[in-house]
Amino acid sequence: MPKLAANLSMLFTEMDFLDRFKAAADTGFKGVEYLFPYDFNINDITKVLSDNDLKQVLFNLPAGDFAGGERGIACIPDREEEFRGGIEQAISYAQALKCSQLNCLAGKIPKNVSYERVEAIFIENIRYAAARLEKENISLVIEMINTIDIPGFFLNTTVQALQILKKINHSNVKLQFDIYHMQIMEGDVCRTIKNNLDTIQHIQLADNPGRHEPGTGELNYHFIFSWLDDTGYKGWVGCEHSPLSSTEAGMGWLKTYNQI
């Protein structure tokens, strides 16, 4: 059975952020992930993790003006100093929260900037991040996101990401594979996961269309969960789905799929 982590940016949003940890634990989750911790005191998060016996599985590097529509700055010209400062901030949180992996959102391709320049900036930033995080025993993942939900996002497919990983050429950076995003962009998610198991370090899930919980769309999660077990995937699976109604009402899928 895959290890499931509740994504607290998507689940239990009916309550305050720090209260979501207990709700996740009460539901049966052993791990949590979310977009960003930076608006909260490190000690407050550490306490709710400890109080509820939860593992911090993943969060993102700072991603620019997220509220204003930015979705990462790793590929954007003239933001390198800001990017490197964000790495240091993320390290301080990761060490306190005992989180051993961080995700980097690449960002949107700026207007009037060539793909080649954007790719070169992204590669250099990720090389720097991978090396800096390795010194702290923290691994880095990069994520492919569909072009419908985030038009203009730089990293969109597994093939593109694998090509870029070869150019980065650093052992401390791998892929975060979001089943929802990749179902939209390329399909064939199970075979892709199996063929790239050595490169995929973290997986996220949601059904499609709608990004709701498993069982609400076209994906056969009975098969997918069995497939992950059969392939020997040992990492976490983040439940990054938007409940069709309330979080509580949408949690029946965990029992249906024998996950918790």
Side-chain angles (χ1 to χ4, degrees):
M1 181 178 76
K3 300 182 297 183
L4 297 182
N7 187 295
L8 301 184
S9 297
M10 302 286 282
L11 301 178
F12 308 106
T13 57
E14 302 90 344
M15 56 191 72
D16 291 339
F17 178 70
L18 292 175
D19 294 330
R20 299 174 197 174
F21 291 78
K22 183 178 186 304
D26 288 347
T27 302
F29 288 103
K30 302 299 182 185
V32 293
E33 62 176 39
Y34 38 75
L35 288 173
F36 311 106
Y38 311 113
D39 289 339
F40 300 90
N41 182 277
I42 291 177
N43 294 330
D44 290 341
I45 303 176
T46 301
K47 185 176 187 306
V48 290
L49 286 168
S50 177
D51 287 350
N52 294 287
D53 195 24
L54 289 168
K55 179 174 177 58
Q56 181 68 57
V57 171
L58 178 82
F59 59 87
N60 295 323
L61 296 176
D65 183 8
F66 200 84
E70 288 190 323
R71 291 298 180 264
I73 60 173
C75 74
I76 300 178
D78 304 320
R79 303 284 290 274
E80 291 88 348
E81 184 175 348
E82 180 184 352
F83 178 78
R84 294 187 179 194
I87 293 171
E88 299 307 314
Q89 184 182 20
I91 288 172
S92 67
Y93 273 82
Q95 290 175 331
L97 304 178
K98 299 179 181 179
C99 183
S100 61
Q101 63 177 356
L102 298 172
N103 180 47
C104 177
L105 295 172
K108 302 175 186 178
I109 299 176
K111 293 181 180 179
N112 303 318
V113 180
S114 70
Y115 177 90
E116 290 74 18
R117 186 181 180 200
V118 167
E119 182 187 67
I121 291 167
F122 182 70
I123 288 170
E124 284 305 308
N125 276 332
I126 296 301
R127 279 178 183 159
Y128 176 88
R132 177 68 186 93
L133 292 173
E134 186 175 45
K135 293 179 181 179
E136 309 297 337
N137 295 313
I138 301 169
S139 59
L140 180 67
V141 292
I142 57 175
E143 178 181 11
M144 305 80 73
I145 293 180
N146 78 75
T147 55
I148 296 174
D149 288 359
I150 307 182
F153 194 79
F154 170 66
L155 202 58
N156 307 128
T157 68
T158 305
V159 169
Q160 178 197 13
L162 291 172
Q163 291 172 343
I164 288 174
L165 281 183
K166 288 183 179 179
K167 294 178 181 179
I168 294 169
N169 191 29
H170 199 292
S171 61
N172 195 40
V173 56
K174 295 192 176 181
L175 298 184
Q176 174 173 298
F177 188 94
D178 189 307
I179 293 170
Y180 163 75
H181 288 304
M182 292 303 94
Q183 172 67 5
I184 292 173
M185 292 304 298
E186 58 195 30
D188 202 19
V189 293
C190 286
R191 181 162 26 210
T192 301
I193 291 170
K194 182 178 181 180
N195 289 346
N196 298 285
L197 200 62
D198 60 335
T199 308
I200 294 172
Q201 182 164 293
H202 188 69
I203 292 175
Q204 292 178 324
L205 66 78
D207 218 327
N208 181 63
R211 201 174 184 172
H212 300 307
E213 57 265 31
T216 59
E218 65 187 357
L219 286 159
N220 183 350
Y221 271 100
H222 280 294
F223 182 86
I224 291 171
F225 290 136
S226 295
W227 183 270
L228 291 177
D229 285 339
D230 291 344
T231 60
Y233 175 71
K234 301 299 184 184
W236 288 85
V237 177
C239 299
E240 194 185 40
H241 60 83
S242 175
L244 189 59
S245 55
S246 69
T247 303
E248 183 179 357
M251 282 296 153
W253 72 269
L254 294 167
K255 294 181 179 179
T256 300
Y257 293 88
N258 297 317
Q259 292 303 300
I260 285 180

